[in-house]
Amino acid sequence: MNQANRTIGAGGAEAVIGRQTAVRASWRRIGWRRALRLCLRAANVLALLALVLVFAMPFFWMLSTSLKTLPETMIFPPEWIPSRPVWENFSTAWNTGPFLKYFVNSVVVAVGILILQMLTIVPAAYAFARYRFAGAKLLFSIVMVTLMIPAQLIFLPVYLELSALKLLNTHLGLILPFASSAFGIFLLRQAFMQVPEELLEAARLDQASEWKIIVRLMVPLAKPVLVTFTLFSFIAHWNDYFWPLVMTTNETARTLPLGIAKIREVEGVATWNVLMAGNLILVAPILVVFFFSQRHIIRAFVYNGVK
Amino acid sequence: MTIWHKLRPYGMVAPAIVIFTMFFLYPIFYMIYLSLFDWNFVSPTKTFVGLANFRDLLTDSDFMKVLSNTTMYTLLTVTLTTILALLLALWLNRKSLFHGFVQGAIFSPHIISLVSISLLWSWLMDPEYGLLNWIIGLFGFGPLQWLSHPGTSLVSLVIVAVWKGLGYNTLVFIAGLQSIPGDIYEAAALDESKPWTTFAKLTLPMLSPTIFFLVIINLIGSFQVFETIAIMTQGGPVNSTNTLVYYIYENGFRFFKIGYASAAGVILLVIVGALTIVYFRLLARRVHYR
């Protein structure tokens, strides 16, 4: 631009014409670039949609199958949206076992675990964050060791232990091993340590009891961490298949994932429509919750990785 | 300072510590103890056999197959997940509504029960009426036997694991990318560094803690794979997908070889323990930096 202005300043019509052609040429160049950029953007969006398809298609296929008759599930090319949806598949799936019981068991176990975890991790995290006491290091190393051991590794001895305690096939037997959480204590301790000492001093000057400090001051300040942990814990235990599978031998305390997996044995391998209907009963609540609190949930899980 | 004040912190940590001791610490020692015995769970007496269970395990060709399956599964899953997730993260690392939607979509399998995922993929991979065979048929491939053939069964399980884990890994990578300070890139741009050089000399080293973290937790997770195998293949066909946790489960709960299963458990504990120590070394270092 400067260059062009100076040429005009020097005078001469040729320079002006030269400038105009230059502008036109650069416009053409920019037009080219714009078209190319638009194409690239469109290709990028298409590729992104294809990526979404890889992850959404299986879920859509589950829904589609759950609304078909058995012969319809075997027709290819498939009818993506069944013209006459078969809603009975859901009641068939629900009636393959005591599903109301499974559902109640799932809620009792997941909520029971969460409540006990809250009751045990909040005071423990507070003590580890705020008190100096003899043996604190040793006790905290127990927490860290527990954090390191996946429950999946020690199910055999825990099974024998619960069997000796007569807790197999009970809700308590499914809840108790997870009644506290090393991960929760670890997260919450970090949050409690970040609360400025002056706030606590002020509360103590007001004669607030330690109990009151925890409930009225610390817990509200650590709310994001508690929300994170709640989502994390509830989803993990709602989905859990391994632990209830190992710790139950009859229907008394069995949870939803076990009931769904059993449809296959009850109905035989081939009834995929009923199986997918049952599957949807298990998946739908989580997907709905995910849809509405996506950001919270993603943070809850990714937080685990990148603190 | 009253006695009560001195005891208070112990009272606060006691419930958690009691639970951990009962259901984590004690079982570890109990498992090591059991691994030295021959016991069928019903019999009132346990016979002490020393290290015989370990000797039997290490000479058992089935167990060797299980170890090699587990290693193969783990290496494939971890390598594929990490590389694909890194590529996706570089591609998806933008803050727009649409990119947020794409990130949410690829993350969604992570919060779905493994039971659902296993059943769903069993259906997708059905050799006769599965959608996957129809799709690859459109491109002129297949049909494949997927889970029903020993040659493809393990790889099929790897595909499911990668599909489930990819979104989570990608989002962790994106978080890692976003924590790299922008002014470093400005400096690189001033030096007219080429995109590839910027990636290799700048992004990759800055991302190395994230890569290390993901590799370790993926390794630990993959070594303990159970649900997909229990639901999709039951270790078959011909033991081609039998892995450590499933092997322990079968020996303990089907064949009631408690000592033998415990010994296999101790071996898994050593492998996972070694990996976790590495992981927590890293984690401790990160927390200190903060």
Side-chain angles (χ1 to χ4, degrees):
Chain A
M1 244 342 227
N2 270 340
Q3 190 70 42
N5 280 339
R6 234 175 284 143
T7 342
I8 295 167
E14 282 167 11
V16 174
I17 293 164
R19 179 169 155 259
Q20 279 171 348
T21 22
V23 166
R24 217 174 298 138
S26 74
W27 255 112
R28 215 176 297 143
R29 243 196 341 265
I30 291 167
W32 250 106
R33 280 212 192 121
R34 266 185 67 182
L36 192 69
R37 238 193 355 244
L38 266 171
C39 275
L40 278 176
R41 275 189 74 170
N44 187 40
V45 168
L46 279 180
L48 284 171
L49 286 176
L51 179 68
V52 170
L53 207 61
V54 171
F55 288 85
M57 171 85 100
F59 292 120
F60 181 74
W61 188 236
M62 168 168 26
L63 177 66
S64 173
T65 305
S66 73
L67 296 173
K68 289 177 179 176
T69 63
L70 192 57
E72 278 170 354
T73 63
M74 299 168 189
I75 297 170
F76 286 96
E79 193 184 4
W80 294 101
I81 302 166
S83 48
R84 277 173 294 114
V86 188
W87 300 104
E88 291 89 77
N89 288 335
F90 289 91
S91 53
T92 312
W94 189 264
N95 290 326
T96 52
F99 266 81
L100 191 64
K101 191 173 205 171
Y102 294 146
F103 186 81
V104 172
N105 286 342
S106 272
V107 173
V108 168
V109 170
V111 172
I113 287 175
L114 189 62
I115 291 173
L116 285 180
Q117 281 179 336
M118 286 298 168
L119 291 177
T120 56
I121 69 173
V122 170
Y126 182 75
F128 282 127
R130 288 297 172 173
Y131 291 130
R132 287 158 177 261
F133 53 102
K137 260 202 168 148
L138 177 78
L139 290 171
F140 193 67
S141 70
I142 294 183
V143 177
M144 292 307 282
V145 169
T146 308
L147 191 52
M148 295 180 201
I149 310 159
Q152 205 121 318
L153 282 191
I154 46 165
F155 67 91
L156 200 62
V158 174
Y159 173 86
L160 298 170
E161 198 182 346
L162 289 177
S163 146
L165 293 170
K166 305 259 178 284
L167 285 177
L168 292 179
N169 295 314
T170 64
H171 292 135
L172 201 59
L174 294 182
I175 294 172
L176 221 45
F178 302 102
S180 191
S181 162
F183 175 58
I185 293 176
F186 186 77
L187 276 187
L188 209 54
R189 174 176 162 267
Q190 298 284 110
F192 285 167
M193 287 197 309
Q194 281 161 13
V195 176
E197 187 63 33
E198 297 84 58
L199 273 178
L200 278 136
E201 293 297 333
R204 284 193 185 119
L205 279 181
D206 287 346
Q207 307 282 320
S209 66
E210 289 296 287
W211 170 247
K212 218 172 186 175
I213 290 178
I214 293 178
V215 176
R216 294 273 172 81
L217 184 70
M218 296 307 246
V219 167
L221 283 172
K223 208 177 136 202
V225 175
L226 286 170
V227 171
T228 293
F229 179 74
T230 301
L231 286 168
F232 186 80
S233 165
F234 187 84
I235 292 176
H237 292 289
W238 176 267
N239 285 341
D240 193 18
Y241 171 72
F242 182 75
W243 204 259
L245 173 76
V246 172
M247 299 304 159
T248 60
T249 52
N250 62 38
E251 307 285 356
T252 334
R254 283 205 170 136
T255 53
L256 214 44
L258 282 167
I260 303 295
K262 241 187 79 186
I263 295 178
R264 205 174 174 178
E265 294 155 33
V266 178
E267 286 277 305
V269 184
T271 55
W272 290 108
N273 52 343
V274 176
L275 205 51
M276 288 304 121
N279 215 353
L280 211 61
I281 297 173
L282 181 64
V283 171
I286 296 281
L287 277 186
V288 169
V289 172
F290 181 59
F291 191 77
F292 286 107
S293 53
Q294 204 194 79
R295 280 183 54 197
H296 276 294
I297 291 182
I298 288 182
R299 214 189 41 206
F301 282 84
V302 176
Y303 195 75
N304 186 355
V306 239
K307 169 67 220 308
Chain B
M1 261 319 222
T2 59
I3 284 273
W4 164 236
H5 278 109
K6 279 205 164 157
L7 286 179
R8 193 163 53 196
Y10 299 102
M12 285 174 151
V13 300
I17 298 294
V18 167
I19 294 289
F20 296 154
T21 313
M22 270 183 76
F23 295 106
F24 286 89
L25 294 189
Y26 165 73
I28 293 176
F29 291 106
Y30 191 37
M31 184 165 77
I32 297 171
Y33 169 82
L34 283 172
S35 72
L36 305 173
F37 288 85
D38 188 15
W39 186 38
N40 66 1
F41 185 50
V42 216
S43 142
T45 52
K46 306 181 178 84
T47 324
F48 182 78
V49 293
L51 295 174
N53 284 326
F54 291 94
R55 192 197 58 213
D56 290 353
L57 269 176
L58 296 174
T59 50
D60 181 351
S61 66
D62 272 357
F63 185 70
M64 285 301 135
K65 176 78 177 146
V66 164
L67 269 187
S68 87
N69 284 342
T70 315
T71 311
M72 194 59 163
Y73 171 87
T74 303
L75 288 181
L76 281 175
T77 306
V78 175
T79 319
L80 281 174
T81 309
T82 313
I83 292 174
L84 288 176
L86 180 55
L87 293 176
L88 280 185
L90 293 168
W91 182 26
L92 298 179
N93 182 21
R94 269 180 205 91
K95 280 179 182 159
S96 76
L97 213 59
F98 183 55
H99 282 85
F101 164 72
V102 176
Q103 289 173 14
I106 65 168
F107 179 79
S108 59
H110 189 69
I111 55 159
I112 300 298
S113 168
L114 271 164
V115 172
S116 303
I117 289 185
S118 305
L119 291 174
L120 176 55
W121 279 85
S122 297
W123 171 220
L124 288 168
M125 288 173 165
D126 189 85
E128 275 177 271
Y129 304 112
L131 186 67
L132 284 193
N133 268 349
W134 180 70
I135 291 176
I136 62 170
L138 294 179
F139 297 95
F141 296 105
L144 290 175
Q145 290 295 306
W146 301 104
L147 298 158
S148 320
H149 189 278
T152 50
S153 52
L154 198 70
V155 178
S156 303
L157 289 172
V158 169
I159 292 174
V160 177
V162 172
W163 182 80
K164 181 175 164 71
L166 198 53
Y168 168 74
N169 280 266
T170 305
L171 291 193
V172 173
F173 268 133
I174 288 178
L177 284 172
Q178 285 172 355
S179 70
I180 301 176
D183 45 0
I184 304 186
Y185 284 108
E186 281 163 28
L190 278 180
D191 287 347
E192 289 177 3
S193 155
K194 291 195 180 67
W196 170 251
T197 323
T198 313
F199 174 74
K201 295 263 168 73
L202 208 154
T203 310
L204 218 49
M206 292 296 281
L207 217 50
S208 62
T210 312
I211 298 174
F212 195 43
F213 164 79
L214 282 176
V215 166
I216 296 281
I217 61 155
N218 288 338
L219 280 174
I220 294 170
S222 302
F223 256 109
Q224 306 172 61
V225 57
F226 175 85
E227 284 88 345
T228 45
I229 287 159
I231 295 170
M232 298 174 84
T233 65
Q234 290 88 46
V238 284
N239 253 348
S240 61
T241 58
N242 201 347
T243 54
L244 264 171
V245 174
Y246 192 74
Y247 184 78
I248 298 170
Y249 172 78
E250 272 211 312
N251 274 285
F253 287 81
R254 288 244 181 95
F255 315 137
F256 301 113
K257 290 155 81 178
I258 303 292
Y260 197 67
S262 296
V266 171
I267 292 177
L268 182 58
L269 190 71
V270 170
I271 298 172
V272 173
L275 290 170
T276 7
I277 287 167
V278 177
Y279 161 43
F280 275 97
R281 280 265 169 87
L282 174 81
L283 193 74
R285 212 180 340 156
R286 282 178 162 210
V287 172
H288 281 301
Y289 277 140
R290 285 266 157 162

